[in-house]
């Protein structure tokens, strides 16, 4: 189930005039989606949906920000590689 977030900020009069208002809202959504993805809270597809872009555009944004698309916890990469070795025992990995 999705949760709605509402921010209550007190800003000076005129601070949210267009087009700045739209740009600010888009920037906040983009940064929130990137943070949530980086923390493993959402998928790249959900992040893309949050900011209204394709999944590939979201992945490009991750690359630009140097946020890894895949994040392995301690030992996970070793388990993945061991599984791969079991599936393809004749395949050679390069060091």
């Amino acid at each position: 189930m999705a949760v709605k977030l509402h921010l209550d900020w007190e800003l000076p009069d005129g601070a949210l005039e267009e087009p700045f208002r739209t740009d600010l809202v888009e920037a906040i959504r983009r940064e929130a989606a990137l943070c949530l993805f980086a923390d493993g809270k959402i998928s790249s597809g959900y992040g893309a949906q949050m900011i209204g872009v394709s999944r590939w555009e979201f992945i490009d944004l991750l690359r630009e920000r140097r946020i890894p698309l895949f994040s392995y916890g301690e030992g996970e990469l070793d388990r993945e590689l061991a599984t791969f070795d079991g599936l393809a025992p004749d395949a050679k990995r390069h060091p």
Side-chain angles (χ1 to χ4, degrees):
M1 182 168 95
V3 176
K4 289 196 180 253
L5 174 66
H6 298 274
L7 300 173
D8 187 21
W9 287 344
E10 192 169 311
L11 300 171
D13 288 338
L16 291 180
E17 292 177 3
E18 293 296 345
F20 181 76
R21 177 187 179 102
T22 299
D23 293 343
L24 179 63
V25 169
E26 288 175 5
I28 292 170
R29 281 191 179 132
R30 182 176 53 250
E31 294 306 315
L34 291 170
C35 287
L36 289 167
F37 178 84
D39 285 346
K41 306 290 186 200
I42 61 170
S43 68
S44 59
Y46 196 89
Q49 182 183 7
M50 279 180 69
I51 62 174
V53 299
S54 73
R55 185 168 182 253
W56 296 115
E57 289 170 307
F58 189 77
I59 290 170
D60 282 342
L61 187 56
L62 293 172
R63 181 187 46 78
E64 289 171 12
R65 298 293 183 87
R66 299 181 188 269
I67 298 171
L69 182 57
F70 301 104
S71 180
Y72 289 100
E74 190 169 327
E76 283 184 282
L77 181 57
D78 290 333
R79 286 191 295 278
E80 290 278 333
L81 293 173
T83 300
F84 174 75
D85 288 342
L87 295 173
D90 297 332
K92 296 185 183 186
R93 281 193 269 150
H94 296 283

